[in-house]
Amino acid sequence: MSVPVDAATGPVPWVAMYHSVGDCSDDPYRITVTPERLDRQLAWLAGQGLRGVSLAELLAARARGEGRDLAGLTFDDGYADFLTAALPVLRRHGCTATLFVLPGRLGGDNAWDPLGPRRPLLRADGIREAAAEGVEIGSHGLTHLDLTKADDATLKAETAGSRAALAELLGTEVAGFCYPYGTVDRRAVDAVRDAGYAYACAIDPGPLTGPHALPRIHIGQNDTAARLYLKHRLHRLRRRPVAGLR
């Protein structure tokens, strides 16, 4: 899969960052929204004249000078509840999304979160099922490591290695990458670009903002319509233009 990027510069797209969709009663890292909250959040997007789509679809539209009525939807980590809880809500609203998965932890859990709770991750067949439903699959690295602390061999495995593993699993190229924990530095950006990814997502990459370090907005259970409006408004005011987008 290729994502066209030209030399133009334009406003950074609004990209929502989700994780798990399900029971959020035990949620120390605030990574979960209920299906009901997700439903209301996507309804709010529609009310703003926006439709949630995958990053590949959003960036392709922006490269054509279009897509101002689109917002990116991303789901990190590849939780198993994506298929059972998130996907039905996305379908209901006519939305697509990008799911960033960890091919080194297929069928495992979020062992990197010391406080828990343990949440199961998709197996290989679940990732293929999501892709068959029109969900873009991207890499979140192999095992969810902070790339800014990785040695050279580990950095290559987490970037190029994870892309190769997903290409074998899916039978297609993988365009997108997502930095675990949102942490990024120039060395990590260079490694992701060298691995052949067309784009990558961070959280707040500051001066590194660009096609290989796109900022995103964390969306959680407490994000009601009023909070979403503020996050959307502040994003437009604070984020610098991105070279390669128009």
Side-chain angles (χ1 to χ4, degrees):
M1 177 190 299
S2 63
V3 177
V5 176
D6 61 22
T9 300
V12 66
W14 197 80
V15 180
M17 177 180 66
Y18 288 95
H19 291 79
S20 176
V21 179
D23 179 10
C24 60
S25 58
D26 183 9
D27 189 29
Y29 297 102
R30 300 186 299 112
I31 64 168
T32 308
V33 300
T34 62
E36 295 77 17
R37 178 65 75 190
L38 177 61
D39 183 78
R40 290 194 289 272
Q41 290 168 343
L42 296 184
W44 177 86
L45 270 184
Q48 305 302 303
L50 297 168
R51 182 170 66 90
V53 297
S54 70
L55 264 294
E57 183 175 346
L58 174 62
L59 295 178
R62 293 292 290 268
R64 298 190 302 268
E66 304 170 357
R68 299 304 171 89
D69 59 343
L70 302 178
L73 297 180
T74 63
F75 291 79
D76 290 9
D77 303 333
Y79 291 103
D81 58 33
F82 179 84
L83 285 179
T84 58
L87 190 55
V89 182
L90 292 169
R91 284 197 199 116
R92 188 156 60 246
H93 288 272
C95 295
T96 61
T98 299
L99 178 66
F100 291 113
V101 301
L102 298 155
R105 292 188 183 271
L106 299 177
D109 60 32
N110 55 327
W112 60 88
D113 287 336
L115 298 180
R118 293 290 156 253
R119 302 178 188 274
L121 304 177
L122 289 167
R123 300 179 182 275
D125 57 350
I127 293 173
R128 293 191 193 98
E129 181 180 345
E133 291 288 339
V135 175
E136 181 195 11
I137 305 299
S139 172
H140 202 24
L142 275 177
T143 58
H144 206 284
L145 296 179
D146 181 345
L147 299 188
T148 66
K149 299 177 181 178
D151 60 34
D152 289 346
T154 301
L155 182 60
K156 186 172 182 179
E158 292 287 329
T159 54
S162 66
R163 186 169 188 250
L166 283 178
E168 182 177 357
L169 187 155
L170 296 167
T172 186
E173 290 185 8
V174 174
F177 186 85
C178 174
Y179 299 96
Y181 305 105
T183 54
V184 60
D185 58 13
R186 174 54 62 186
R187 178 169 164 266
V189 170
D190 290 345
V192 167
R193 184 186 294 109
D194 292 346
Y197 294 97
Y199 74 86
C201 290
I203 297 177
D204 190 3
L208 292 173
T209 294
H212 287 89
L214 292 168
R216 294 182 297 165
I217 305 298
H218 168 75
I219 305 296
Q221 180 67 12
N222 293 330
D223 285 316
T224 59
R227 285 171 59 96
L228 287 172
Y229 173 81
L230 289 174
K231 286 188 173 185
H232 186 258
R233 183 72 175 169
L234 289 173
H235 176 80
R236 294 179 62 188
L237 294 174
R238 291 174 55 199
R239 300 302 185 187
R240 67 185 64 201
V242 179
L245 297 179
R246 59 181 178 178

